[in-house]
Amino acid sequence: EVQLVESGGGLVQPGRSLKLSCVASGFTFSNYGMNWIRQAPGKGLEWVAYISSGSSYIYYAETVKGRFTISRDNAKNTLYLQMTSLRSEDTALYYCARRTTGDYWGQGVMVTVSS
Amino acid sequence: DVVMTQTPVSLSVSLGNQASISCRSSQSLLHSDGNTYLSWYLQKPGQSPQLLIYLASNRFSGVSNRFSGSGSGTDFTLKISRVEPEDLGVYYCFQHTHLPWTFGGGTKLELK
């Protein structure tokens, strides 16, 4: 069974940093590209970043480019999102999702940016 | 950026009836590799989104055949035949042909 479990969220002050993790199981993690997708409270979905299976291709939404870094450790079956210079508008539930099609999603982890 | 416009924003249907959701893109979603990277998701209340349709018209594994996707270029439709209670929630279209990838604003399916 494919499982994606996010962690690392919490309350953080504007301008500070936070690193999210997504641990994958039930499939060969190193064979699949992965995404981070977020959802602000009561709002729709926003694609954040993508990384290919071997980390050769990395893409970002303009809203996070230069502030967020997506990475992965295939030996640990783990996807990461390093978030810096956080803003109030980054407050959201952050999901990791497998493949460009988003065929499987985690349950999400909440990030709240507030002073 | 490619703008994905979903209509209607909300849809009230009676159980057993058909529902249809439109998704229009501001640019053609036909990729140079010949594929159309348009997906549909359902987010049930309190849950993560779940993939229904990929490549515009392919049903994902385990998805009921009451769900069907169609369209090409800039015009796409998701149809749900014989709506059941478990179909209620918010539907999103998503394009990953052009960077940055973008979602539609969502369509909330409710019971009449």
Side-chain angles (χ1 to χ4, degrees):
Chain A
E1 179 194 3
V2 172
Q3 283 200 322
L4 299 168
V5 180
E6 303 94 337
S7 62
L11 174 62
V12 61
Q13 293 179 327
R16 301 299 289 261
S17 300
L18 202 60
K19 188 172 186 177
L20 306 182
S21 300
C22 167
V23 176
S25 61
F27 66 100
T28 303
F29 180 70
S30 59
N31 287 350
Y32 292 87
M34 298 292 296
N35 295 280
W36 286 101
I37 294 161
R38 68 185 181 183
Q39 187 169 36
K43 302 297 185 183
L45 300 169
E46 179 187 14
W47 171 77
V48 173
Y50 170 82
I51 184 168
S52 62
S53 57
S55 304
S56 297
Y57 300 97
I58 290 175
Y59 310 125
Y60 296 99
E62 288 298 324
T63 51
V64 306
K65 195 177 289 185
R67 299 187 300 122
F68 290 11
T69 302
I70 189 172
S71 63
R72 63 191 296 160
D73 185 335
N74 286 343
K76 295 182 178 179
N77 290 344
T78 304
L79 172 73
Y80 302 101
L81 186 68
Q82 176 69 55
M83 304 183 293
T84 64
S85 303
L86 282 162
R87 306 166 180 168
S88 58
E89 53 265 36
D90 296 318
T91 294
L93 187 61
Y94 284 74
Y95 296 101
C96 60
R98 193 181 79 163
R99 305 185 74 170
T100 57
T101 48
D103 59 353
Y104 291 96
W105 296 55
Q107 83 289 350
V109 61
M110 189 66 201
V111 173
T112 303
V113 183
S114 175
S115 54
Chain B
D1 297 6
V2 175
V3 177
M4 304 295 286
T5 303
Q6 282 185 238
T7 55
V9 173
S10 64
L11 183 57
S12 295
V13 296
S14 299
L15 294 178
N17 284 3
Q18 178 175 280
S20 182
I21 300 170
S22 170
C23 177
R24 288 185 172 167
S25 57
S26 59
Q27 298 177 37
S28 173
L29 298 186
L30 178 62
H31 194 277
S32 56
D33 65 8
N35 289 317
T36 296
Y37 293 105
L38 186 283
S39 301
W40 288 96
Y41 306 88
L42 165 60
Q43 186 174 31
K44 298 180 182 181
Q47 295 186 19
S48 303
Q50 56 189 88
L51 177 65
L52 300 173
I53 302 289
Y54 64 97
L55 295 177
S57 60
N58 293 271
R59 206 176 299 116
F60 183 55
S61 173
V63 173
S64 169
N65 59 12
R66 296 184 297 100
F67 292 89
S68 63
S70 63
S72 62
T74 61
D75 271 324
F76 302 90
T77 301
L78 176 71
K79 289 186 178 176
I80 311 157
S81 62
R82 305 183 305 281
V83 169
E84 298 183 2
E86 59 263 33
D87 302 335
L88 304 183
V90 181
Y91 289 81
Y92 295 95
C93 59
F94 173 64
Q95 71 82 20
H96 51 109
T97 295
H98 303 289
L99 285 165
W101 301 338
T102 46
F103 283 92
T107 295
K108 187 173 186 178
L109 185 65
E110 301 172 304
L111 273 182
K112 185 178 289 183

